[in-house]
Amino acid sequence: MPQAPSTPPAGQAEIAAFVRDCWRRATARPLPLIVLLGRPGSGKTYALDHFAHEAAGGITARIDFAPLPVQRPYELAVHLAFLLSRKHSGVRPPRFPRLMLGLLALSLSDLPLDNREAARKRLKSALSQARGSAAVDALEAAGGVIDDLGLSPVPHLELAAGLLVRGFTHLPVATALNRALVSYGQGSTQAGVDALIDLNRRHRTGIDADAALVDRGLCEVFLDDLAASFGGRRRLYNCLALLDNTDRPHITAFLELLVQLRAEKARSGLYDPLLVVATAATTRAVPGPSDGSPDDPHISTPDTLSYDAWRTRPDAAPPHWWCPVRLRDLDEVEVTLEATRYEKERAGRTGRPEPWVLPATTPLIHRLTYGHPWSVRTLHEVLAGLREGSPAESDLRGLLSVRTPGTGTPLADVVRSRLLAGLTADQQEAALLIATARTPKSAVNAGLLNDQPEHARDTLMRELRERLWLSRRVPEDAHTRGGRGPSGYLLPRPGARGEGALDTTFDTQPVLHPWLRLLLLDRLKDPTSGSLARWRQLHETLASWHARHQQPLDALYHCLARGELPLVVDHFTLGMAEGDLIPWLRELYHVTAAPMYPAWLSDEPPQRRATELARELAPDAYADERLGRPLAELCAALWLAGDPRNRLPLGHPELNHKISAKLRQLAMVADADADTLLDEAERYTD
């Protein structure tokens, strides 16, 4: 259920404040071309809904490019001009005399090219005809309907020109023509006629270079018309263009041309009043060096946004006029607020009080989705429909298997399909293999994609990066296994307790977004996508590759994914002799973050299943009651706790008691630094 448009979408308050600051018009000034970059379901369209609500009554235009055909840059400028020139309550809309005349010149197949005076008369006749066109009247009357459908209102040049000429019906035809010609000719009507003849000639040639000059000329007069409309009167706000789904090459070409023209005019101190806020699901929509990596310095984050931080120099190159912003996921508090808001709205709609269960599910919802906005809303809706809003523990554990109303499709399939929108079928299949590795780069280097179709093998990593599915790794510690945080408390701090800067778990390589990875792994575990034998073979390949490259912890990670618990227990048994067990804990969390195949799960409560896994997979260690058994059970419990669906009941996970008890047992037999283990055990105590 989307938020009311009067309120900024959750997690976007900083972006809303930035757009509002740019929209207010104190004086003519540089304006950024803002591009909201986000994965599918990150709230891009909701953001535009909010901005449209905020700017209601102002000079605004909104276009969703998803259903529209490919258009030339000048056609996109005409589309914007049509929407901006409509009547706005209490505000005088901008007029586009230069653009209007240019369109008329393009539409005339009989414009004399070698006689200036004859050409001027033909233009005057065309202008007079456009003002009285019945077709224009019909299209103008249907403008609201066309606008609602999101279709282009300018299918023909003569109709487009006729629509734009409506603002000049109070002027004699000759006066309107002369004013527009003067602007084309930079003060001379004769030079203006020559410029329009040249525009018409180039439009007829069919040569790409000529077409590019026509696009440039008409886009330039579009900006000039806007600047002129705002130059002679005081206005409180700039124009606002809200452009949805702009990640198509022809739209990028149009925006790139606008930015190029802006950069050129800024050298002379000229600024247009058009604030563009666009959305895109891939960084390819933004020309320049942006690649979508988690720490891409060319993409802003919401917490760093401000007009002063962006403001570009008058002589800045075109790339500096872009302002790409990465939409963020929701934090834990925001997920709780979303749950509360949903239940309030549901109560208002149904007329009966809600049980207020959803806010209590935040530990599960946030750790499953990591705050992906659309997924949070979707899971809230599904949970609200289970047992009349009071789902049982078994419902929570099997949440992703719930069949969605209407379609009968498992929730995991619905969400995975939405998140992978934009990837081809072969890329989606290859993504299953990428998900088996801790980092996508290691999957590629280990050769997991070698047998995939060439297209998927060569393009998948770029697609994942440009579609913003690569993230910083999440620090593994008690906070990620159901205990108390804060997250990252185990990361090394030089000088702390004599510890150096060395971190054996440190890796700067980006990882797949945890929510997408979980959904892909669930699909890979499904019998229709593979088997336990295939699962083990993939992780054996990865374990061998890491071992060859002297990365023993990552090799152990994949050994544990194969079910080789004894190797993990042996490694950490040796580490118990160290004098400082903080690095030991850090490595323990790193290794036990490995994914688990469903064959090792059962209907038993996770606390009991941890004991069973230790006994079944590591019988020799389990026989050692003093050290081997508590360590094997601790590893199994942390392994299970890596999946938030095993951390139930909410608020008091059963596994916490198991983890705390085993850490205390190990503290009793530790040769040194038992207090570190006791401190860690306390993090799992209610």
Side-chain angles (χ1 to χ4, degrees):
M1 182 183 298
Q3 244 177 263
S6 58
T7 305
Q12 295 186 24
E14 304 99 329
I15 297 174
F18 175 56
V19 170
R20 195 178 302 114
D21 186 21
C22 294
W23 182 47
R24 289 195 179 98
R25 182 178 176 82
T27 183
R29 57 175 179 166
L31 293 175
L33 198 160
I34 303 169
V35 183
L36 306 183
L37 296 172
R39 315 172 185 101
S42 59
K44 302 183 293 294
T45 300
Y46 288 158
L48 297 192
D49 291 343
H50 171 67
F51 301 144
H53 182 274
E54 286 281 287
I59 301 173
T60 62
R62 182 169 182 177
I63 305 175
D64 180 2
F65 288 107
L68 298 185
V70 173
Q71 293 177 302
R72 293 258 306 269
Y74 87 83
E75 293 173 324
L76 294 173
V78 172
H79 195 162
L80 274 177
F82 167 77
L83 297 175
L84 293 170
S85 63
R86 293 173 305 173
K87 293 181 179 179
H88 303 275
S89 178
V91 181
R92 184 172 180 178
R95 301 304 182 194
F96 296 90
R98 300 165 180 83
L99 181 59
M100 166 203 71
L101 196 57
L103 292 174
L104 280 177
L106 258 60
S107 70
L108 298 177
S109 59
D110 59 346
L111 183 70
L113 302 181
D114 54 0
N115 187 320
R116 181 187 298 157
E117 186 57 32
R120 186 181 183 283
K121 289 180 178 179
R122 183 66 187 92
L123 287 168
K124 181 180 179 181
S125 172
L127 179 58
S128 178
Q129 185 178 2
R131 293 174 66 164
S133 170
V136 169
D137 290 335
L139 191 60
E140 189 177 48
V145 177
I146 293 171
D147 195 26
D148 290 341
L149 294 175
L151 303 176
S152 173
V154 287
H156 304 293
L157 289 171
E158 59 271 21
L159 289 179
L163 286 166
L164 294 177
V165 85
R166 285 314 202 204
F168 305 95
T169 54
H170 64 288
L171 293 175
V173 172
T175 303
L177 177 63
N178 287 335
R179 288 185 180 182
L181 286 175
V182 166
S183 62
Y184 264 98
Q186 298 181 349
S188 166
T189 58
Q190 293 182 344
V193 174
D194 291 341
L196 291 172
I197 290 174
D198 184 63
L199 198 68
N200 181 283
R201 179 188 296 112
R202 293 182 184 279
H203 183 61
R204 298 183 192 183
T205 65
I207 299 173
D208 289 345
D210 284 339
L213 286 173
V214 170
D215 286 326
R216 177 187 170 86
L218 291 179
C219 287
E220 182 172 11
V221 297
F222 164 70
L223 293 178
D224 289 343
D225 281 337
L226 272 177
S229 290
F230 275 65
R233 55 180 52 85
R234 185 176 183 276
R235 295 183 186 262
L236 297 178
Y237 300 100
N238 290 303
C239 298
L240 181 61
L242 305 173
L243 311 181
D244 208 0
N245 296 302
T246 63
D247 29 15
R248 297 167 68 185
H250 71 282
I251 304 167
T252 299
F254 166 65
L255 296 177
E256 197 168 11
L257 178 55
L258 289 187
V259 166
Q260 175 70 38
L261 292 168
R262 272 186 170 173
E264 293 174 6
K265 292 179 180 298
R267 300 292 180 96
S268 302
L270 301 175
Y271 304 110
D272 65 82
L274 182 64
L275 175 62
V276 175
V277 182
T279 72
T282 170
T283 59
R284 287 195 296 273
V286 181
S290 303
D291 65 1
S293 58
D295 297 307
D296 189 334
H298 304 288
I299 301 178
S300 300
T301 54
D303 59 317
T304 63
L305 282 178
S306 73
Y307 180 81
D308 290 337
W310 169 81
R311 187 182 178 103
T312 190
R313 305 186 317 271
D315 61 343
H320 294 282
W321 290 76
W322 293 81
C323 183
V325 183
R326 183 195 303 265
L327 299 186
R328 64 174 178 84
D329 291 330
L330 308 183
D331 59 34
E332 194 165 352
V333 172
E334 289 166 335
V335 171
T336 301
L337 292 174
E338 281 293 283
T340 302
R341 182 192 59 78
Y342 180 88
E343 289 211 335
K344 286 182 178 179
E345 291 184 0
R346 181 180 169 89
R349 191 172 64 253
T350 61
R352 63 175 186 269
E354 291 296 318
W356 305 110
V357 169
L358 290 186
T361 66
T362 292
L364 173 65
I365 301 301
H366 183 255
R367 278 304 177 186
L368 274 176
T369 66
Y370 277 79
H372 180 256
W374 178 84
S375 300
V376 169
R377 287 191 296 271
T378 301
L379 266 59
H380 282 160
E381 290 171 0
V382 170
L383 282 172
L386 295 176
R387 302 177 191 268
E388 297 185 348
S390 300
E393 185 176 318
S394 59
D395 296 323
L396 298 176
R397 186 169 287 116
L399 178 59
L400 298 186
S401 301
V402 172
R403 296 191 177 275
T404 55
T407 65
T409 306
L411 177 60
D413 292 345
V414 173
V415 178
R416 184 169 51 246
S417 176
R418 173 69 186 271
L419 269 53
L420 292 176
L423 297 184
T424 60
D426 59 337
Q427 288 172 334
Q428 292 188 26
E429 287 300 313
L432 298 178
L433 304 179
I434 290 289
T436 60
R438 195 181 63 79
T439 65
K441 184 176 181 179
S442 62
V444 175
N445 291 336
L448 294 192
L449 300 185
N450 288 355
D451 296 331
Q452 296 300 299
E454 181 179 0
H455 172 258
R457 185 179 66 241
D458 294 347
T459 62
L460 176 60
M461 285 298 293
R462 185 178 73 247
E463 285 291 332
L464 291 174
R465 183 177 64 251
E466 292 180 345
R467 293 182 181 277
L468 307 174
W469 281 118
L470 299 186
S471 307
R472 300 186 188 95
R473 69 172 186 139
V474 178
E476 294 291 343
D477 49 34
H479 190 56
T480 62
R481 307 299 170 89
R484 293 194 297 275
S487 179
Y489 65 90
L490 287 176
L491 295 179
R493 301 185 305 277
R497 301 182 57 177
E499 183 179 26
L502 179 64
D503 179 2
T504 53
T505 68
F506 181 72
D507 188 353
T508 60
Q509 294 299 324
V511 300
L512 204 58
H513 190 281
W515 176 223
L516 178 62
R517 187 185 183 214
L518 183 148
L519 292 166
L520 290 170
L521 287 174
D522 271 15
R523 167 76 185 281
L524 187 64
K525 298 169 187 176
D526 191 280
T528 61
S529 298
S531 62
L532 178 57
R534 185 191 185 205
W535 175 271
R536 281 180 160 155
Q537 181 269 319
L538 289 170
H539 286 284
E540 171 60 27
T541 300
L542 289 163
S544 299
W545 183 84
H546 283 294
R548 290 197 306 273
H549 289 81
Q550 289 76 51
Q551 297 168 358
L553 291 179
D554 284 337
L556 274 178
Y557 173 98
H558 290 290
C559 286
L560 182 58
R562 285 170 45 83
E564 297 175 359
L565 184 58
L567 292 178
V568 176
V569 174
D570 289 345
H571 174 84
F572 288 104
T573 298
L574 293 174
M576 284 287 293
E578 296 293 332
D580 183 358
L581 291 183
I582 285 183
W584 182 89
L585 275 175
R586 190 185 305 133
E587 294 181 1
L588 178 66
Y589 282 115
H590 181 90
V591 171
T592 56
M596 180 180 288
Y597 196 76
W600 296 312
L601 294 172
S602 70
D603 293 332
E604 296 287 343
Q607 182 177 0
R608 190 176 306 170
R609 186 56 186 154
T611 300
E612 293 176 351
L613 281 172
R615 183 170 56 245
E616 294 168 7
L617 299 181
D620 292 342
Y622 191 80
D624 175 13
E625 296 184 10
R626 178 177 178 273
L627 177 58
R629 180 180 297 181
L631 185 52
E633 289 192 66
L634 175 63
C635 291
L638 289 174
W639 189 20
L640 283 164
D643 188 326
R645 290 169 290 184
N646 293 323
R647 301 200 294 264
L648 298 171
L650 294 170
H652 305 281
E654 290 181 355
L655 275 175
N656 280 16
H657 177 74
K658 169 72 75 174
I659 295 170
S660 178
K662 298 309 162 186
L663 284 168
R664 294 179 191 279
Q665 282 184 253
L666 291 175
M668 297 294 291
V669 299
D671 290 333
D673 204 17
D675 59 325
T676 289
L677 298 179
L678 292 173
D679 288 344
E680 195 68 11
E682 188 64 25
R683 293 183 180 276
Y684 292 92
T685 303
D686 294 339

